[in-house]
Amino acid sequence: MKTLSTQSPDFSAQLDALLAFETAQDPATDRAVADICQDVQTRGDAAVLEYTARFDGLDAPDMAALTLHAGDLAAAFARLPDHVRSALETAAARIRRYHEKQKLQSWQYLDEDGTLLGQQITALDRVGIYVPGGKAAYPSSVLMNALPAQVAGVGEIIMVVPTPKGERNDIVLAAAHLAGVKRVFTIGGAQAVAALAYGTQTVPQVDKITGPGNAYVAAAKRRVFGTVGIDMVAGPSEILVIADGSVPADWVAMDLFSQAEHDEIAQAILIAPSQRYLNDVQNAIARLIEDMPRRDIIRAALNNRGAMILVRDLDEACAVANRIAPEHLELCVNNPEQWAAKIRHAGAIFMGGHTSESLGDYCAGPNHVLPTSRSARFSSPLGTYDFQKRSSLIRVSPEGAQKLGQTASVLAHGEGLTAHARAAEMRMVQHVII
Amino acid sequence: MKTLSTQSPDFSAQLDALLAFETAQDPATDRAVADICQDVQTRGDAAVLEYTARFDGLDAPDMAALTLHAGDLAAAFARLPDHVRSALETAAARIRRYHEKQKLQSWQYLDEDGTLLGQQITALDRVGIYVPGGKAAYPSSVLMNALPAQVAGVGEIIMVVPTPKGERNDIVLAAAHLAGVKRVFTIGGAQAVAALAYGTQTVPQVDKITGPGNAYVAAAKRRVFGTVGIDMVAGPSEILVIADGSVPADWVAMDLFSQAEHDEIAQAILIAPSQRYLNDVQNAIARLIEDMPRRDIIRAALNNRGAMILVRDLDEACAVANRIAPEHLELCVNNPEQWAAKIRHAGAIFMGGHTSESLGDYCAGPNHVLPTSRSARFSSPLGTYDFQKRSSLIRVSPEGAQKLGQTASVLAHGEGLTAHARAAEMRMVQHVII
């Protein structure tokens, strides 16, 4: 792992280089995705079936063969070993409880003239959850995407998950059952995103698509954005640990691994005010890595994009963290609340030695879909609020129309919009009472 | 204006055709914008100065000549005629009051094991507001974009506004003064968006860019999305009026005009259960349009994309409105609250005859930046919440780590992520107490 020090004169440039990540979209991928989306929009099911045969090696006679209903999901749930079913249930209950607290509520008030102002909250009618398939099957991702939609009161949750060569994952389907998914299409890639965005003869059009996917899925989501809502387009996962030396070095090393094991471009950074502690963690890494089944990926990630940063003190550590705006921030320190209050930009803040990031990934309650690539500067974790929306409410009283009309008239004339002004002025004729 | 009836067998197809709007991005615009963004990212101020000379006919020796400071904005405010200054102040006060109600608040709770869960709210550090310049100068847009940022507590609000040939608009600058803008760069187009997104020697990098603009600005915002946050990319403005006949036809006609006068592709639709009322409004349109300075634009918009829709009753009117998901919805009916409760998708709902849309555009309080092109199905008005963000908070207690660790371990092993499991398991060794 690289070692940086804030005392180095070129620390700032070194940090920029460490965080740099090329998010540029590949033009060839973009063109391929544009063609697939266009084709699905034009030919519907027929196009989806063809791409599924070609990309997933799954030759289905019709969309019915690629559709799972509530009964299929319940059956998958029932087939699970007890300890897995119970773990899923525990996680779902905790995630649901946390996300209940995020629900937006409608509100309104009257001003002095009796004019009503407010905000009406509604849930989305129908959403699509994209779940990656094949080797990397993540039931936790099903819970984290579908449960907030369910808590929000979304009318219908549709899931798509590719099943290359027909291989289905029971835990994924069981998670869908728990999270209120009513229908699953075993399709994936850009064709699945396009089917959800435009609708086909079989796949109903949704209002928003969330969930992670590969480069084709990401490009397709960018393309259909506007026709439907999307969640963020995620970059590689990141963890930043700030440690004061009070948490065992082995624990911190394992937390860095748990980020690095995702893939070779994941980023794991440790910040501490003590070179000795950094060395301790480095030694723990060297000792523990050999037991890790995914050690090659971990090693590549730590070498590629990992770093240890020596700082003067914890205040400086927080300042560096705010510049990095990490997806996951662990405060492995005493009095973590005191330091959390200084953090302005982070997707999730894990406080104290017992709060491993992996507890948050699965079951603490908060969402594990978090802003990556410094986007915690301006965005938030996926939440219930992402499946609700607001409509402004205005009811101007006859008295209010007299006063507001004057203001609107002046400003509308200032902008050269005469009809705007006249519409306001017409309501100022006192003798017309509605 | 076209006339549709829900009783017509092809109503659904006719409605789709009416709402269809080609949002496809123009490849030539996209390429030009890509080059400009790249150039600004590489050469900074020098590139911005060149494009400003070329596109705005404004030859500035350096960026200082394109910079306005707080004092310049205050001076513009002081120069305004009294009635304009007062109208701006009234509007700003009402908008600010409404947006105060939208502020997100941090929260937290403890579970049974003493584990703390919560959400920490922070404001964005720095945002950029894009304001169109030239002929269409909209001070109201300055208020609607900058005031929510100010209410949210954004650290610094930067504004960009092109001043073709050096022509500045005092009302726009005065609105910036009122809304807490600290610095203005008189630049526009894709080069201004790129300068805000990447930063230059003079223009500081922002975290989010909001505000309307032309096709180049929209393409640039799409391109820099991810590096910074953006608000929506707006389509043409729309109004849908539902009328039961209780509001004077002249008022409704003028409200349709006030949308149509924006531009030739704006959309104005009237729904009523009475053909006679539709005829009355049609007659009012014919009579009133001749007095409108922008009658050519209004006529073009009403012919292109306007419509009258005859429905069976108000329930059906609400169902059609939900399908349209309009940016602005006027309920020109008795008991508007009763019908508003049936509306699931609309940017803003204007209730009762005295609530002209134009009052909402300028000064009622709610934001006039609203979801267009059916995106009210999944998105919300611009608000204070768009300038705040959430960080999840988790502090797992030693007791909580024992229970959560088991669940996380099972699920992590199920996903083949051993380091995730080990990180959780390490915290279950009871004798290590932090």
Side-chain angles (χ1 to χ4, degrees), chain A residues 315-338:
Chain A
D315 271 312
E316 189 175 62
C318 290
V320 173
N322 282 330
R323 176 132 170 237
I324 294 175
E327 182 190 13
H328 305 97
L329 174 65
E330 278 191 7
L331 296 176
C332 290
V333 298
N334 285 312
N335 293 321
E337 283 87 352
Q338 172 196 341

Side-chain angles (χ1 to χ4, degrees), chain B residues 370-381:
Chain B
L370 298 167
T372 58
S373 305
R374 305 193 63 226
S375 63
R377 283 153 48 234
F378 53 83
S379 58
S380 300

Side-chain angles (χ1 to χ4, degrees), chain B residues 36-103:
Chain B
I36 293 171
C37 288
Q38 173 73 58
D39 197 21
V40 170
Q41 194 175 6
T42 311
R43 296 197 300 130
D45 285 348
V48 173
L49 286 166
E50 276 178 35
Y51 290 117
T52 302
R54 192 191 309 172
F55 297 130
D56 293 339
L58 185 57
D59 237 323
D62 52 31
M63 285 299 289
L66 301 178
T67 308
L68 300 176
H69 296 281
D72 303 309
L73 308 181
F77 184 71
R79 277 194 300 271
L80 288 186
D82 283 350
H83 71 291
V84 177
R85 191 167 55 238
S86 157
L88 270 185
E89 284 177 322
T90 301
R94 292 191 61 97
I95 295 165
R96 191 175 276 122
R97 179 173 173 197
Y98 180 87
H99 285 77
E100 288 283 357
K101 312 260 180 193
Q102 293 182 326
K103 270 183 102 158

